[in-house]
Amino acid sequence: MGLEEKLPSGFILGKVEDLVGWVRSSSMWPVTMGLACCAIEMMAAGTPRFDIARWGMEVFRASPRQADLMIVAGRVSQKMAPVLRTVYDQMADPKWVISMGVCASSGGMFNNYAIVQGVDHVLPVDIYLPGCPPRPEMLIHSILELHNQVIKGAPLGVNREETIRKVEEAALNAPPTHEMKGLLA
Ligand code: SF4
């Protein structure tokens, strides 16, 4: 017999991580981080037609201290990379990153010295969103996927820090993309 049967009706049991995850998923605020053409689609997601206000996310925060989600929308130049990292470090914990578009995720068509070949060389990424540019519906889908990840009991406290440390370590140890030959090797 479980504990549930001994309790009066109206009680719900659950893990603290699940409950906290549900609360967090309902209160994400994105920081302003539009870097190139993908940002136009990101801005469109905030308009009444697509309406991310349904999740309370339509106001992109100008201060990292009021934000816990960074949507990297567009290519990341070498000059912008340290700025991106500084803003990320200043954001409230726990925080999440969506890499929006092929440029942010892998450098895209800009396989050159000026562009970081994947923002995961600079930040730990939670969701990669493909496309050039991804439509606002795709961004909304990736936001909902992120909500699901957070609801499913993302690790808390030191466990979350450990997860992020491993992700960052893996990204730093990954071979540079110019060494990846894929199917052409
Ligand atoms: S993925 Fe396409 S739309 Fe997005 S920043 Fe790159 S070139 Fe622009």
Side-chain angles (χ1 to χ4, degrees):
M1 180 183 285
L3 183 58
E4 290 89 345
E5 283 104 59
K6 296 194 171 179
L7 290 172
S9 62
F11 274 81
I12 298 175
L13 296 179
K15 287 192 297 178
V16 174
E17 287 196 342
D18 290 347
L19 181 64
V20 173
W22 174 69
V23 172
R24 283 180 172 156
S25 73
S26 309
S27 59
M28 277 187 190
W29 284 357
V31 68
T32 305
M33 195 48 73
L35 300 177
C37 9
C38 274
I40 306 297
E41 304 296 317
M42 182 176 70
M43 285 181 250
T47 62
R49 181 169 175 189
F50 300 101
D51 199 17
I52 53 172
R54 285 174 284 171
W55 300 281
M57 300 174 67
E58 76 280 19
V59 180
F60 285 78
R61 307 287 148 172
S63 165
R65 289 169 187 81
Q66 298 166 353
D68 54 6
L69 170 64
M70 180 182 281
I71 302 171
V72 183
R75 54 189 176 265
V76 182
S77 66
Q78 298 285 355
K79 274 192 174 179
M80 195 62 191
V83 180
L84 215 66
R85 182 69 209 199
T86 303
V87 172
Y88 175 80
D89 286 338
Q90 290 175 340
M91 283 163 57
D93 262 321
K95 47 201 166 189
W96 297 273
V97 177
I98 294 177
S99 172
M100 180 177 181
V102 67
C103 287
S105 299
S106 68
M109 67 199 81
F110 302 101
N111 188 4
N112 61 45
Y113 64 85
I115 300 297
V116 176
Q117 299 297 297
V119 71
D120 53 7
H121 290 283
V122 185
L123 308 173
V125 174
D126 294 280
I127 299 266
Y128 295 89
L129 173 56
C132 174
R135 285 190 47 82
E137 294 95 333
M138 296 168 72
L139 176 59
I140 289 171
H141 183 243
S142 72
I143 288 171
L144 294 180
E145 276 302 314
L146 181 62
H147 286 177
N148 285 341
Q149 279 187 18
V150 175
I151 290 171
K152 272 183 203 151
L156 296 178
V158 285
N159 295 332
R160 167 91 185 156
E161 284 166 23
E162 179 64 11
T163 307
I164 288 179
R165 192 191 60 72
K166 282 185 186 158
V167 169
E168 292 200 276
E169 198 175 283
L172 289 174
N173 292 332
T177 42
H178 67 263
E179 284 178 12
M180 297 178 184
K181 303 290 187 216
L183 297 173
L184 301 176

